[in-house]
Every structure is written in C-alpha cells, then in structure tokens.
Amino acid sequence: MNATIVIYGSSTGTCEAIAEKIASKLGCESMNVQDLSADIVSSHQNLILGTSTWGAGELQDDWYDGLKVLQDADLNGKTIALFGCGDCSSYSDTFVGGMGELFNGIKNSGANFIGNVETDGYTFDDSEAVVDGKFIGLPLDDINEDDKTDERIDAWIAQITPSL
C-alpha cells in the first residue's frame, strides 16, 4: 500500500471516531483537517477524506480551509476515497451532503476517486453525494444506523484496499 492518510473534519467526535477506526483497519495514520498542509498532501499518494454534514447538507466547518489546501495542491494522479457522516432520519433530503460538497470541490483535480457505494440499503430522500446513481464515497449514519457502521466500513475497506 502506498503512503495513505485519513483526514477528517469532526465537530462532535463521531467523524473522528470513524476516521480512527478506518485508519486502524488500513494500518495508517489519521489527522484532523485543521492540521492539513501542502506537505501532508504531497507526501501521501492516497488520501481518505471524511466529513460530517451540517445544516442543509453543508461541509463541516474545518473543511472549508482544508478544501482550499487541497484545491491549491497537486492532486493529479493521487487516489482519493471519501466517507461522510450524516443523519438519514432528520436530514433525509440532504443526507451526507457534506461529502458531496467535498467531492464537488476537488472532482476536477486530476485525482482518481475510488470507493463508490450503491444506494441500496440506505433510507434517504436526496443527497448531493449521489452521482450517477451511487454515493461518491461511504455514507454512514452512526446516529440512526450505528448497527450497520462496522459492516459498512469493512465492506468499503475491502473494496478500496486493492487500489491503495
């Protein structure tokens, strides 16, 4: 596996805990997006990016500066996988919208995006994170569907690991 890092933005700790779980399973480090720098981006071939979703499908606050770091960096040829935390019950019309915002901010960067997930098995009305009928990364609802989180993480890691 090439140099890989999990970078997360978390306001309540849920996304942080999930990022740490993913990093542990991949055998790599995790870091808060507040600490993201151009040097971190350039020294890793694989970026696993995670965000929680706030308000009406908005990116987690710390990611706005982090997104600028990514947009200013050379992502051409890097491998990126996304995961997002959301609430499919209370915010079913903007489920994991933060993940969609993150993707939209860097989708034209020349990076190779991996880890699309089928929408089957998810209950939601709409999501900016669905492109061509699939989630553009791993959607998780650790509030209403915490019993599915570990299984979803394991399946996603099995899917993305060969590309890392």
Side-chain angles (χ1 to χ4, degrees):
M1 182 167 75
N2 291 316
T4 302
I5 191 163
V6 178
I7 303 164
Y8 63 87
S10 186
S11 296
T12 64
T14 300
C15 194
E16 178 180 7
I18 288 170
E20 289 172 355
K21 187 178 291 191
I22 290 170
S24 174
K25 289 176 182 280
L26 288 172
C28 67
E29 292 183 52
S30 66
M31 69 175 292
N32 192 309
V33 68
Q34 293 174 325
D35 300 321
L36 184 61
S37 68
D39 288 342
I40 296 289
V41 175
S42 68
S43 64
H44 292 85
Q45 176 60 32
N46 304 318
L47 305 174
I48 314 294
L49 310 175
T51 184
S52 50
T53 299
W54 292 92
E58 297 165 13
L59 197 56
Q60 191 270 345
D61 287 343
D62 299 328
W63 263 112
Y64 289 103
D65 288 336
L67 188 55
K68 289 177 187 169
V69 171
L70 292 175
Q71 289 168 335
D72 291 341
D74 181 9
L75 299 179
N76 192 42
K78 293 198 181 282
T79 299
I80 296 179
L82 304 171
F83 68 95
C85 301
D87 180 340
C88 68
S89 179
S90 298
Y91 298 96
S92 68
D93 58 337
T94 60
F95 181 54
V96 295
M99 182 170 63
E101 272 199 45
L102 188 53
F103 173 73
N104 287 332
I106 57 174
K107 68 182 178 185
N108 297 319
S109 65
N112 175 36
F113 288 88
I114 62 171
N116 290 352
V117 172
E118 296 287 342
T119 59
D120 297 344
Y122 288 89
T123 304
F124 68 102
D125 292 324
D126 195 19
S127 178
E128 186 180 344
V130 174
V131 176
D132 296 329
K134 292 183 179 181
F135 285 106
I136 45 91
L138 174 64
L140 296 168
D141 181 347
D142 212 46
I143 298 165
N144 302 296
E145 298 180 336
D146 60 320
D147 59 320
K148 298 177 182 178
T149 297
D150 287 336
E151 179 182 329
R152 287 175 172 167
I153 289 172
D154 289 345
W156 187 66
I157 287 176
Q159 175 192 346
I160 67 171
T161 299
S163 298
L164 301 175

